[in-house]
Amino acid sequence: MGKLLYSATMSLDGFIAGPGGDMSWLTRHLGPNPEIDELIGRIGALLVGRRTFGGDDPHRGTDKEGKAFGGGWEGPQFVLTHHAPETVIPGVTFAGDLHTAVKAAKAAAGDKYVNILGADVARQCLEAGVLDEIIMIVAPVLLGDGVRMFARPDGDPVDLEQIRVTELPHVTNLWFRVRSS
């Protein structure tokens, strides 16, 4: 089955969202990005945190709002939450525990990536030993506060092995493999 990949665009000071979860800062850094365009075709399913699923959309107010990767990707989404909505959302499955969500997302992805969206879900996957790779898209902006890409106070260091680095005028892509301990 596919690998779990955490992808996130972050500021130079390590934030993926500004204060209050604001994502509007991100819009001007979204593209074009050949690395991400290539990755999108290799994603078979999304594993998303509840806050990310219901959060601020960098495409708010455009025809891309509410669509994964601004409409560049379609497929099954699995949302990790203890508070699933009563209304069915086509293409979205809500799971109450990490093991169930990961298993279902990997089965749906087949031999493609399960792309993780959401810092808390990525941290949980890392702690459970199921996160395989991380791609950080670093934008040249300082937010100063907000939601960190990775926050685990008093946690052990996580060793990463560099796969590749690509640079564009508006972002730098850093791709890593998570080393198992």
Side-chain angles (χ1 to χ4, degrees):
M1 281 196 268
K3 294 180 180 179
L4 263 69
L5 169 74
Y6 175 34
S7 68
T9 302
M10 61 182 262
S11 63
L12 282 171
D13 48 357
F15 295 99
I16 60 172
D22 177 51
M23 298 293 289
S24 63
W25 70 273
L26 180 61
T27 307
R28 69 181 188 272
H29 301 286
L30 287 177
N33 190 335
E35 185 91 34
I36 300 308
D37 294 342
E38 187 270 330
L39 169 64
I40 289 171
R42 296 171 51 202
I43 295 172
L46 298 180
L47 177 57
V48 186
R50 178 67 173 155
R51 181 174 45 197
T52 299
F53 182 76
D56 197 9
D57 189 333
H59 297 288
R60 179 167 283 146
T62 73
D63 61 341
K64 297 178 179 183
E65 183 175 352
K67 299 174 183 172
F69 294 96
W73 182 87
E74 288 187 24
Q77 296 184 46
F78 298 84
V79 179
L80 183 60
T81 182
H82 295 293
H83 306 287
E86 304 234 350
T87 307
V88 174
I89 301 173
V92 179
T93 302
F94 293 88
D97 69 275
L98 183 67
H99 176 72
T100 301
V102 167
K103 184 177 178 181
K106 284 182 118 182
D111 62 350
K112 292 186 171 188
Y113 279 109
V114 172
N115 191 77
I116 299 168
L117 300 175
D120 188 54
V121 174
R123 180 193 51 76
Q124 290 178 58
C125 288
L126 187 64
E127 290 175 349
V130 297
L131 185 61
D132 300 296
E133 296 176 9
I134 298 170
I135 183 169
M136 295 181 264
I137 301 98
V138 183
V141 63
L142 296 170
L143 296 178
D145 196 8
V147 178
R148 288 218 171 271
M149 181 180 164
F150 180 70
R152 187 170 68 166
D154 302 321
D156 293 331
V158 177
D159 290 326
L160 304 173
E161 175 185 343
Q162 181 178 306
I163 295 174
R164 70 179 162 269
V165 175
T166 54
E167 296 181 43
L168 300 165
H170 59 287
V171 295
T172 300
N173 302 305
L174 307 168
W175 200 308
F176 298 96
R177 181 173 298 112
V178 177
R179 289 189 180 173
S180 41
S181 22

